[in-house]
Amino acid sequence: MQLPRPWSRWTDALIPFAAVALAFGCTEDSKTPDEGDPSLTIVASNACGRNILPITTLSDIQNGTLQAVDVVVTGTDPFTDTRQMVAGTPVVLSLADDSEGSGRFISSRQTRVNPDDPEGQPLVNYGETSEDLSFLGRSARDQFFCTSLGTVNLTATVTDYSPGGTGPLMATINPIRNFPIRCVPRDEFLRACGLLDASTPLPEMGPEVEMGTEMGGGEDMGQPDAAPLSAWTVRYQPTDDSCPVVGIRGSGGRFPDNVVITFQVVEAEQPVADVPVAFEITGANGGNPPNGILVRPEPNLTGSAALAMGLDAENQADLADEAFVTKTNNAGVATVRVIAGGTPGTFAVRARAYRRDQTDTDTSCAIVIRGGIPSGRGMQLLCDHEVIPAFSRRELLDVPDDPRDDPDPSLGARYLVGNEVGTECRVQLADRVNGRVPEGTRVFFLTEAGTVTQEAAVDEEGGALTVMRIGHPGPRDVDPDPWEEALIEGNLGPFLVPGFNPRDGLVRVVAFTRGEEDFRDMDGDKIWDPGLDVLEPGMDLGEPFIDEDDNGTWTENLPLQAPSRDRVSEEFRDTNGNGFWDEPNEDWDANTEIWTSTTVLWVGNLHPALEENPLSVCCVANDPGCMDPIYTEAGSPRPQGCNRGAPGAPGLALTAEPPGLFYLMGRFHDDNGNCLGGRGLGVVELTLPTDMSTSGRLRQSLTGSWCFAGFERPRARPFFWPISNLGTEDSGVIEVSLTHQGLDDAQFSRKWGVGYSR
């Protein structure tokens, strides 16, 4: 028997086709699926436009007048190119456990019919579970008819599905919400569909089937108490195939911080105007929405305003305090603008429409709030090597004195720099909530000396790399700070060229990108609130500049520099193109150039004055174990009686009555007074005779405090070894060796000795 399409007997009498569709999130307890998960939507429709069917009779099947609804299951898989379920995936339709009525699926007849008696038992040839249906394109289809009174909830199941055809198996996929079909007596069905009025006699439909016999259904439930669902509905109207993505509020990046969400109210596929619609924010995937999301326009229409729109007190009580109520326009459309809060997350917008003492709801897809806007808070620039070998010598040039200024030897100095890779530097970016910024974000770099890769893209870890290459121009000469002057007058004194100082070798590197300034969030909402939140020092940024003199602010007139001897300003990036450096504006900027900087110390080879002998012997006052007289140089006594030893010659006269205590001091630095610890490979090592010992370290790497006195305070720290004289040997030599790396990965090794006798 070939079954006809539904409604074959009354086609001419039917009202226009209407569908009752159920998508994700259409009820108050619904959930919005994760946009990254495969999902199912089940829809059933008939020509009446109501989810209602009459009870099928034996004669309906025998006469080919079976009344059924089309059931369509739509599968979505974001891991496929078409966003459709993998072709051929089987899906099974069935009745949910909470169904009150009963019914059968037409596809099940294919395997249930007895081939020897196909007409013998027509009703038991259909089952409450469909056959395996296959997805063709986006959907799989079947038909369903009712066999007993009550509401039947249709569901669908996909098992052992591999997302994209290659992902790990998902045990079960079901619709978020099942689809209800009301199974009612024939006269109620016909009148509900407008096919006859109360005075019209019923058509001859054949005998009713007794419930619970041939059909295998439940008991006759009688006429349900609830009213049938209306044909009108409210629907979410997406703007495209993807769900909206917005940025956190106030962010000035590529994602706007707000989005317009649209719903439409229709009846028989025609728009319905002047329908009150309430919008509420709900969590996606069953969770809670992020804090701080706003619904606009304002003020929210509640209370008397909601009553003016036709909402009764009961419906008002169902609304959240933050709900916004509006009415549909002539196109049946109601819109709302949603503004993100200050934290990332996902949420959805639920629309609830009110008409004819009935309500209908639908929910938007999951809206993603992204962070990812670079913030000054998480910006950090570090180089692999904070000290690199970059030059061999720094020389003085014969430059005539400038009559405008006092003579300064540094004006005629030049660096004999190398031409090679110096070090890699990495800038790390984060948004205001410490999340990584999107891959591909562009970052730009500046350098005081040498060259750098000027542009780089952020990787998946939120960082971008640049490479500093050694070369011209060399570092700028700077005036010594007070702490450097004290250092020069003390330990480094006669071993430095006048005008040279450790900070001369400090090279500044700058990284900048488009983003937002940091701020102190006083109320914890992650949103800038004028008058409440504050900008602490260093958060309010001026235009990026290279701080060559390390004073923390842009300098307009730097000291004269050879060979031009012209006064120049520090290099800056003129972001707004006004020709001037713009200082911090005392306001929080959501879309500006944020930047940070770091320094790399360029060092050379051992200062020539130290190559002969960098060691000194220092006696302890009133110590009979150290009889060496105070050594004088240029008519001035050395501090603490330090005697600069001579290579290979006895530098100590020790008493015959040990023990005694003295100090050995070593100085190892370049022409600027900086350490020789390029790339962390410098090492100083002390070797003592058997009758001497020290509480100091025999081997010391030239890193850390041996190269820096503090943040951006370079200097070569002298070595002091306290040595105990045990007095068992008549003579010997104390040896000190130095190993360090130079240009082109050259390794330099030197050794010095201080002899002694008794």
Side-chain angles (χ1 to χ4, degrees), residues 320-666:
D321 292 338
E322 65 273 16
F324 166 68
V325 183
T326 186
K327 280 189 175 183
T328 57
N329 60 18
N330 290 335
V333 170
T335 61
V336 66
R337 184 177 297 276
V338 181
I339 305 175
T343 55
T346 58
F347 69 97
V349 177
R350 180 165 56 207
R352 184 182 305 172
Y354 301 85
R355 186 167 184 258
R356 297 175 182 167
D357 297 326
Q358 294 178 331
T359 64
D360 191 32
T361 62
D362 197 9
T363 305
S364 71
C365 64
I367 303 168
V368 178
I369 302 177
R370 290 200 59 170
I373 305 304
S375 168
R377 171 174 304 182
M379 196 172 191
Q380 182 185 35
L381 177 62
L382 293 174
C383 296
D384 287 351
H385 301 292
E386 60 180 347
V387 181
I388 60 174
F391 62 94
S392 55
R393 295 264 79 86
R394 187 183 182 193
E395 296 181 334
L396 285 174
L397 300 178
D398 185 13
V399 178
D401 293 340
D402 189 325
R404 297 170 299 177
D405 298 274
D406 294 333
D408 186 349
S410 67
L411 298 181
R414 68 178 179 185
Y415 286 93
L416 302 181
V417 297
N419 185 4
E420 59 186 72
V421 173
T423 183
E424 284 189 345
C425 302
R426 179 180 176 88
V427 61
Q428 190 69 32
L429 299 177
D431 61 22
R432 74 173 72 160
V433 291
N434 301 326
R436 293 175 183 153
V437 304
E439 186 175 359
T441 301
R442 312 305 294 184
V443 186
F444 303 88
F445 300 89
L446 302 171
T447 183
E448 172 186 344
T451 59
V452 290
T453 308
Q454 292 182 307
E455 180 185 7
V458 168
D459 58 26
E460 62 182 6
E461 297 298 325
L465 287 176
T466 187
V467 177
M468 169 184 279
R469 189 174 181 87
I470 299 165
H472 291 295
R476 172 169 286 277
D477 181 86
V478 296
D479 293 333
D481 279 344
W483 65 269
E484 288 179 294
E485 293 176 349
L487 187 67
I488 293 170
E489 292 174 359
N491 294 329
L492 300 181
F495 304 108
L496 282 182
V497 176
F500 291 2
N501 53 275
R503 278 177 44 257
D504 287 344
L506 209 57
V507 174
R508 191 162 298 276
V509 183
V510 175
F512 62 92
T513 189
R514 205 75 191 172
E516 62 183 28
E517 292 177 332
D518 189 15
F519 62 91
R520 177 63 65 184
D521 186 16
M522 303 303 293
D523 57 358
D525 63 356
K526 310 301 181 185
I527 301 170
W528 167 255
D529 298 311
L532 176 63
D533 297 332
V534 296
L535 289 171
E536 295 180 345
M539 294 180 176
D540 189 17
L541 302 174
E543 290 179 321
F545 70 94
I546 299 176
D547 189 11
E548 298 179 50
D549 60 1
D550 313 309
N551 66 355
T553 187
W554 180 73
T555 303
E556 184 174 6
N557 290 309
L558 290 170
L560 301 182
Q561 187 91 9
S564 68
R565 302 174 65 80
D566 293 330
R567 289 192 179 275
V568 296
S569 63
E570 288 178 328
E571 180 182 351
F572 69 95
R573 177 172 169 80
D574 190 11
T575 303
N576 57 13
N578 65 355
F580 300 94
W581 178 78
D582 292 311
E583 62 185 8
N585 60 6
E586 299 182 357
D587 193 12
W588 181 74
D589 294 310
N591 188 5
T592 187
E593 282 191 344
I594 59 173
W595 62 284
T596 188
S597 69
T598 190
T599 54
V600 177
L601 184 61
W602 284 23
V603 298
N605 294 332
L606 186 66
H607 183 51
L610 299 174
E611 290 181 353
E612 181 181 1
N613 190 3
L615 304 177
S616 298
V617 176
C618 302
C619 297
V620 177
N622 302 319
D623 186 349
C626 182
M627 302 300 293
D628 188 59
I630 293 177
Y631 179 86
T632 61
E633 182 176 348
S636 300
R638 298 293 295 162
Q640 297 181 342
C642 291
N643 178 11
R644 191 170 164 211
L652 289 176
L654 302 178
T655 65
E657 299 295 333
L661 177 67
F662 62 92
Y663 289 89
L664 182 65
M665 183 176 72

Side-chain angles (χ1 to χ4, degrees), residues 13 97 173 187 190 250 309 340 408 416 644 651 695 711 742:
D97 293 339
I173 305 175
D187 58 342
L190 294 175
M309 287 195 170
D408 186 349
L416 302 181
R644 191 170 164 211
S695 59
F711 178 69

Side-chain angles (χ1 to χ4, degrees), residues 117-337:
D117 185 16
E119 305 296 335
Q121 293 182 313
L123 294 178
V124 297
N125 288 336
Y126 301 93
E128 294 183 343
T129 301
S130 74
E131 295 302 306
D132 284 351
L133 310 173
S134 296
F135 281 100
L136 298 177
R138 296 184 65 89
S139 60
R141 298 174 180 269
D142 200 348
Q143 291 180 300
F144 175 84
F145 61 89
C146 290
T147 58
S148 68
L149 297 175
T151 299
V152 176
N153 293 315
L154 305 185
T155 189
T157 303
V158 171
T159 57
D160 295 334
Y161 181 73
S162 175
T166 59
L169 291 180
M170 300 178 63
T172 303
I173 305 175
N174 299 109
I176 297 298
R177 183 188 176 196
N178 301 323
F179 191 88
I181 299 293
R182 289 179 48 78
C183 301
V184 300
R186 185 170 61 256
D187 58 342
E188 180 180 344
F189 163 73
L190 294 175
R191 291 189 176 96
C193 287
L195 301 178
L196 75 168
D197 56 33
S199 62
T200 303
L202 296 177
E204 184 65 37
M205 299 293 292
E208 298 284 351
V209 176
E210 294 183 8
M211 300 300 111
T213 57
E214 291 186 70
M215 301 299 291
E219 298 177 358
D220 185 350
M221 301 298 294
Q223 181 174 338
D225 295 331
L229 296 180
S230 172
W232 70 270
T233 186
V234 60
R235 300 173 180 169
Y236 168 59
Q237 300 291 303
T239 56
D240 51 40
D241 292 337
S242 60
C243 290
V245 178
V246 297
I248 55 180
R249 191 189 310 169
S251 58
R254 58 178 177 170
F255 297 111
D257 65 358
N258 64 92
V259 63
V260 174
I261 302 298
T262 301
F263 291 82
Q264 186 182 36
V265 176
V266 296
E267 183 172 19
E269 299 302 318
Q270 299 300 312
V272 183
D274 295 325
V275 177
V277 179
F279 296 102
E280 298 173 283
I281 302 300
T282 183
N285 309 319
N288 295 319
N291 294 328
I293 299 174
L294 299 179
V295 180
R296 291 291 186 271
E298 289 181 323
N300 296 333
L301 300 180
T302 56
S304 60
L307 279 176
M309 287 195 170
L311 299 186
D312 56 26
E314 180 180 355
N315 286 328
Q316 289 182 65
D318 291 338
L319 294 179
D321 292 338
E322 65 273 16
F324 166 68
V325 183
T326 186
K327 280 189 175 183
T328 57
N329 60 18
N330 290 335
V333 170
T335 61
V336 66
R337 184 177 297 276

